[in-house]
Amino acid sequence: MLTKEDIPIIEDLLGKCTGVILGPGLGTASETEEAILPLLQRIIAEKKPLVLDADAIKPVGENLSLIKNSTTVVTPHVGEFKKLTGIALSQDLDTRITVVKEWAKKLGITIFLKGYIDILSDGEHIKQNKVHNEAMTVGGTGDVLAGIIGALLSKGVRPFEAVRIAAFLNGEAGNEAFQKKSYGLLATDIIDELPTMLKKYL
């Protein structure tokens, strides 16, 4: 569990890293949520590219000014998008696209809304992603996606390009894993396919 006592250790590591992923596996304990905000402030102050996912989204939604106009990618599903913005998204795709783009522009960040059709926007551009399958709703697949985005950001890829590349790589790896594992696939099966996808497409 992340607590405020852990922050000095993480701060020491920040100087050695070129990107940060915050959220997966953190949990929702009050001590953890209290630690997220000061840690986030330091990450933004250090101008580290950031992927904000999962359990880190709710606390940030209550303090949106922290991430405004930063090199941040937020990767919510519909429920997490509401925690981020207070907006309950419609099932209508065109409406979703409009709202996601508006919020990305308002915050000055990049948003990757995960759904039956993923919506990616940096406030100026919009892309939709259909490269995935139903089995990829298994736990951990969002963490894999966040990891791919974070890896790309750490190499200097611009946020909107990073989410586009990650959407495709993650989806293609997931589809390949599905061919082998069917509905029994695990998030680690997607990871196993990533080297093949990189070799094939990049």
Side-chain angles (χ1 to χ4, degrees), residues 116-201:
Y116 62 99
I117 297 177
D118 302 322
I119 299 171
L120 292 56
S121 181
D122 61 356
E124 181 179 356
H125 307 95
I126 280 281
K127 287 291 181 181
Q128 299 174 44
N129 176 53
K130 303 177 184 178
V131 183
H132 45 59
N133 59 76
E134 297 90 342
M136 291 176 68
T137 56
V138 68
T141 56
D143 298 348
V144 175
L145 175 65
I148 298 170
I149 297 171
L152 291 165
L153 291 176
S154 75
K155 293 297 185 181
V157 179
R158 291 176 297 178
F160 189 64
E161 302 306 320
V163 295
R164 292 173 63 195
I165 296 168
F168 179 75
L169 288 176
N170 187 63
E172 279 289 284
N175 287 344
E176 185 66 23
F178 183 72
Q179 294 298 317
K180 299 175 181 179
K181 305 285 185 172
S182 187
Y183 288 95
L185 74 80
L186 302 174
T188 49
D189 297 321
I190 299 174
I191 295 172
D192 290 342
E193 297 298 334
L194 285 172
T196 301
M197 297 304 109
L198 289 166
K199 183 177 180 180
K200 182 176 182 179
Y201 294 110

